[in-house]
Amino acid sequence: MNFKWNYEQPTPERQQTAKELADKIGMSPVLAELLLQRGIRTESAAKRFFRPMLSELIDPFLMNDMDVAVDRLNDAMGRKERIMVYGDYDVDGCTAVALVYKFLQQFYSNLEYYIPDRYEEGYGISKKGLDLAAEHGVKLIIVLDCGIKAIEEISYAKQLGIDFIVCDHHVPDDELPEAVAILNPKREDSTYPFKDLCGCGVGFKFMQAFAKNNGIPFSQLIPLLDFCAISIAADIVSVMGENRILAFHGLKQLNQNPSVGVKAIIETCGLSGREITMSDIIFKIGPRINASGRVQNGTETVDLLVERDFKKALALAVHINKYNDQRRDIDKQMTEEANQIVERLESQEHQPAIVLYDKGWKKGVVGIVASRMTEMYYRPTVVLSCTNGIASGSARSVAGYDIYDAVKSCRDLLENFGGHTYAVGLSLKVENIPEFRRRFQEYVSKNIHVEQTEATLNIDAEIDFKDITKKMHNDLKKFAPHGPDNLKPLFCTRNVYDYGTSKVVGKHEEHIKLELVDSRSSNVMNGIAFGQSEAARYIKSRRSFNIVYTIEDNIFKRSDVQLQIEDIKPSESL
C-alpha cells in the first residue's frame, strides 16, 4: 500500500512544555510529547495514565437508570423470578452475557442465558427468543450489547409480562424502548462522564452497582475483568478513560489468572506461556469467540466462557476452533469474490464508498469482508448478503469518518440498522439496494474529506536511533494497552542505511529482515518489514531511505529491541 506520511513538527512552545513534563516524570521529551498528544499535561495525570487504579473507576450510579435497574434486579431475586441474560452473538455480546451470568450465578440460581441465532433470528432481540422466555416463565430479561432500538420487541415482551433492563452502548434513536431501565452512556440525556464503554463494560458497571448495593466486595468482580479486556480490544473502542482501567486490569487478569473458558482458548490458539496483548486478543482470541456465532450459534461460545471444568472447556475450545478454521476459508473466498466485483465494476472502483451484494455470501462473515475491503481500498464499505428475502450486512469505515451517519441518512430505505462511528449493521429489502447504493455513495461523497480516503501513517515523533535506549523502550511499554485514542506510537527515522546484512526472508520471500544504521549514530538496529520485499533492491543499493516503525521486543532476544517497519521510502522521495 502506498502510504501518505503525516507528521506535524511540535512548535518550540510545545517542545518546552514536553521538556518540563519530561523533567517531572523522569522520561524523555519524546515520550512526554506522546503524553501531550493524548491530552495528558500534568505529572498527576501521567501517573494515573501509567498506573490505572481500579479505585478510580467511575461510580456506576452516575449512569442514568442504574438505581432503577439494581432495584428491579433485587426485586426479581427476592421474588425468585426467572431471569434471562440475553446478548448479541459477537465477542462483545458473548463476553457481556458470560460476565453477568457468571457473577449473578454466585448468588442466584433461577437464571438462564440466551444468544439469538444469527441466521434464523438476526441481530438483536427476536420474537422467537421472547416466546421462548415466556415458555420458560422468565419475568426479567437483562439484554446486553443490543436492545436500544428494540421498540416493538420490548413492547411485545411487556404484553407477555416480561420486564427488560437494557445494557447497550450503541447510538440510540430519538425514541427509547419501554424498558424498566436503559443503561447506555450514549443516551442523549446521559449523566455518565465516560461515553465509550463497550457492551460488556456496561454489563460490568451494572454488576458493580449491584455488588455495591448488596455489600458484595469489589474483589469478587476482579476475576471477570478478563472478559472486559477481550471485549474492549475486539470491539475497537477507546482505550482511554475508564476503558483504560478496565483493559489494563483485564489484561493483568488474562495473563495471571484467566477464567477457565478463556484459559482453554489461550491454549487452543497457541498463546500459552507468553504475555498476551491487545493485539493477541484482536487477532487470536477474539476471532475464536466470534467464530461460533458466525458459523453456527453463539450459545456455544457462552457455554465455553462460563464452563468451570478445564477438561470440558478445552474440548469446547477445540470444537469452536474448527468453526474458526471454517470461517477463515469462507472469509478468504468471499474477500476474493468481493475484490473481483470491485475490479470488474468501474463504477465501484471510482466511487468514494463501496456497496457490494451477493445473495450467496454467508451472513456471518460479511463484517470481516467489509473490513478487508476497507483496508484494501481505503473507502467506507458496505457488504450485504441475503437471508429469507431480506438483504443484511455490515458497514465498516475508514479512520475519522462516521459511517453511522452515512447509513442513517438512508434510514427510510432500511428495515433496521444500528451501531457506532466505525461499524454498523443494517438490513433492507433486496429491491432497495440500488437506491441505497446511490444515496449512500452520494452522502459519503459530500461529507468525506479527501485525506480520509488516503492510506495514512500518522507519525507521532521523528527520532534518531541514538534516542532508542533501553530506558526509553521500557518507558514506552508503559503506554500499553493500545487501541483507539492510544494507538501504538509510530516513529520516523530519516536517512538510514543497510548495515550490509539485510536480507529477504519468508516462505515466499515476502518480508525483509533488516540491520540498519542511521546517519547520526553508530547504533545498529534490527528490524522486520512484513510484506515489503519489493523494497529490498533499493535497500541493498546502499542509498539512504526513511522508515516509519513501531518499537517492539525482539521475540528471540527479549532484552533487545526490534523495529517493526510499517513503510519504507527513498530519502529523495520526501
Side-chain angles (χ1 to χ4, degrees), residues 274-275 468 470 473-474 477 488 513-516 524-528 530 550-564:
R274 51 163 285 186
E275 185 179 357
I468 307 174
K470 190 167 186 177
H473 183 217
N474 288 333
K477 291 179 188 178
K488 187 171 282 190
K513 189 176 185 301
L514 300 132
E515 287 192 325
L516 303 172
V524 179
M525 299 301 302
N526 291 307
I528 183 76
F530 293 111
T550 59
I551 300 173
E552 312 287 346
D553 280 321
N554 187 320
I555 57 171
F556 301 107
K557 297 179 182 177
R558 294 292 289 181
S559 60
D560 286 356
V561 170
Q562 178 171 273
L563 310 183
Q564 184 165 314

Side-chain angles (χ1 to χ4, degrees), residues 320-463:
I320 284 174
N321 198 50
K322 291 176 184 175
Y323 289 145
N324 192 51
D325 291 339
Q326 289 178 46
R327 187 273 306 163
R328 269 200 296 248
D329 292 340
I330 297 166
D331 162 19
K332 185 180 178 184
Q333 180 187 339
M334 283 173 55
T335 299
E336 287 173 359
E337 290 173 3
N339 196 29
Q340 286 168 11
I341 292 172
V342 175
E343 290 178 349
R344 193 168 62 243
L345 297 177
E346 191 176 335
S347 60
Q348 291 279 3
E349 192 177 347
H350 298 290
Q351 286 290 346
I354 296 170
V355 179
L356 301 176
Y357 166 70
D358 189 305
K359 65 181 180 181
W361 283 340
K362 197 166 181 67
K363 184 179 176 183
V365 186
V366 290
I368 299 173
V369 176
S371 295
R372 298 263 193 272
M373 292 292 101
T374 302
E375 291 167 10
M376 211 174 290
Y377 294 99
Y378 221 74
R379 280 174 286 170
T381 301
V382 180
V383 178
L384 301 163
S385 65
C386 185
T387 307
N388 302 322
I390 295 290
S392 61
S394 295
R396 296 290 184 269
S397 194
V398 294
Y401 185 71
D402 190 338
I403 203 167
Y404 182 87
D405 281 348
V407 172
K408 187 179 178 181
S409 73
C410 308
R411 67 182 306 160
D412 58 301
L413 298 171
L414 305 177
E415 298 296 300
N416 200 1
F417 77 101
H420 40 79
T421 303
Y422 294 120
V424 177
L426 66 155
S427 61
L428 67 162
K429 291 174 182 172
V430 172
E431 58 264 32
N432 285 343
I433 293 174
E435 180 62 9
F436 170 79
R437 178 184 286 119
R438 185 190 71 77
R439 281 174 46 186
F440 177 80
Q441 290 177 334
E442 184 181 350
Y443 182 93
V444 173
S445 178
K446 289 178 180 177
N447 292 280
I448 201 165
H449 299 300
V450 174
E451 57 268 23
Q452 291 174 322
T453 63
E454 297 175 328
T456 302
L457 292 175
N458 291 311
I459 297 164
D460 293 273
E462 282 195 8
I463 60 175

Side-chain angles (χ1 to χ4, degrees), residues 145-389:
D145 194 35
C146 56
I148 197 64
K149 292 189 174 184
I151 310 289
E152 293 178 18
E153 292 81 1
I154 290 178
S155 179
Y156 176 70
K158 206 170 181 182
Q159 295 170 31
L160 298 174
I162 300 171
D163 283 341
F164 258 88
I165 295 172
V166 175
C167 304
D168 204 352
H169 72 122
H170 295 102
V171 179
D173 269 343
D174 295 336
E175 183 185 358
L176 296 176
E178 288 184 272
V180 171
I182 296 174
L183 308 178
N184 186 331
K186 290 192 179 77
R187 280 174 58 162
E188 186 97 358
D189 60 347
S190 177
T191 53
Y192 197 70
F194 184 71
K195 309 300 180 191
D196 293 318
L197 290 169
C198 58
C200 187
V202 177
F204 181 85
K205 298 307 295 188
F206 184 21
M207 293 302 95
Q208 185 189 359
F210 172 78
K212 189 174 182 180
N213 181 263
N214 287 279
I216 301 165
F218 181 84
S219 58
Q220 287 188 236
L221 285 161
I222 291 175
L224 302 168
L225 286 170
D226 55 353
F227 292 149
C228 288
I230 290 168
S231 63
I232 288 166
D235 219 50
I236 321 291
V237 293
S238 171
V239 290
M240 293 294 280
E242 189 163 39
N243 279 347
R244 180 169 175 81
I245 301 172
L246 294 172
F248 182 91
H249 289 279
L251 277 174
K252 190 175 176 183
Q253 187 69 26
L254 195 61
N255 280 290
Q256 293 178 0
N257 190 23
S259 59
V260 171
V262 173
K263 188 177 180 182
I265 296 170
I266 289 168
E267 182 151 322
T268 307
C269 61
L271 291 174
S272 296
R274 51 163 285 186
E275 185 179 357
I276 296 167
T277 65
M278 298 290 268
S279 291
D280 293 321
I281 295 171
I282 292 168
F283 295 110
K284 299 270 186 148
I285 297 172
R288 284 162 174 81
I289 292 175
N290 249 336
S292 181
R294 291 191 188 282
V295 177
Q296 200 65 37
N297 188 289
T299 302
E300 293 179 77
T301 295
V302 182
D303 293 342
L304 167 60
L305 294 176
V306 302
E307 181 56 60
R308 297 176 181 177
D309 181 275
F310 183 71
K311 193 174 179 182
K312 291 179 182 175
L314 194 56
L316 281 167
V318 168
H319 179 62
I320 284 174
N321 198 50
K322 291 176 184 175
Y323 289 145
N324 192 51
D325 291 339
Q326 289 178 46
R327 187 273 306 163
R328 269 200 296 248
D329 292 340
I330 297 166
D331 162 19
K332 185 180 178 184
Q333 180 187 339
M334 283 173 55
T335 299
E336 287 173 359
E337 290 173 3
N339 196 29
Q340 286 168 11
I341 292 172
V342 175
E343 290 178 349
R344 193 168 62 243
L345 297 177
E346 191 176 335
S347 60
Q348 291 279 3
E349 192 177 347
H350 298 290
Q351 286 290 346
I354 296 170
V355 179
L356 301 176
Y357 166 70
D358 189 305
K359 65 181 180 181
W361 283 340
K362 197 166 181 67
K363 184 179 176 183
V365 186
V366 290
I368 299 173
V369 176
S371 295
R372 298 263 193 272
M373 292 292 101
T374 302
E375 291 167 10
M376 211 174 290
Y377 294 99
Y378 221 74
R379 280 174 286 170
T381 301
V382 180
V383 178
L384 301 163
S385 65
C386 185
T387 307
N388 302 322

Side-chain angles (χ1 to χ4, degrees), residues 118-166:
R118 184 191 292 263
Y119 298 97
E120 288 186 16
E121 299 166 76
Y123 172 78
I125 300 163
S126 72
K127 189 171 182 294
K128 178 184 174 182
L130 295 175
D131 288 340
L132 183 72
E135 283 176 31
H136 289 195
V138 170
K139 293 299 178 187
L140 175 65
I141 294 178
I142 301 169
V143 62
L144 297 134
D145 194 35
C146 56
I148 197 64
K149 292 189 174 184
I151 310 289
E152 293 178 18
E153 292 81 1
I154 290 178
S155 179
Y156 176 70
K158 206 170 181 182
Q159 295 170 31
L160 298 174
I162 300 171
D163 283 341
F164 258 88
I165 295 172
V166 175

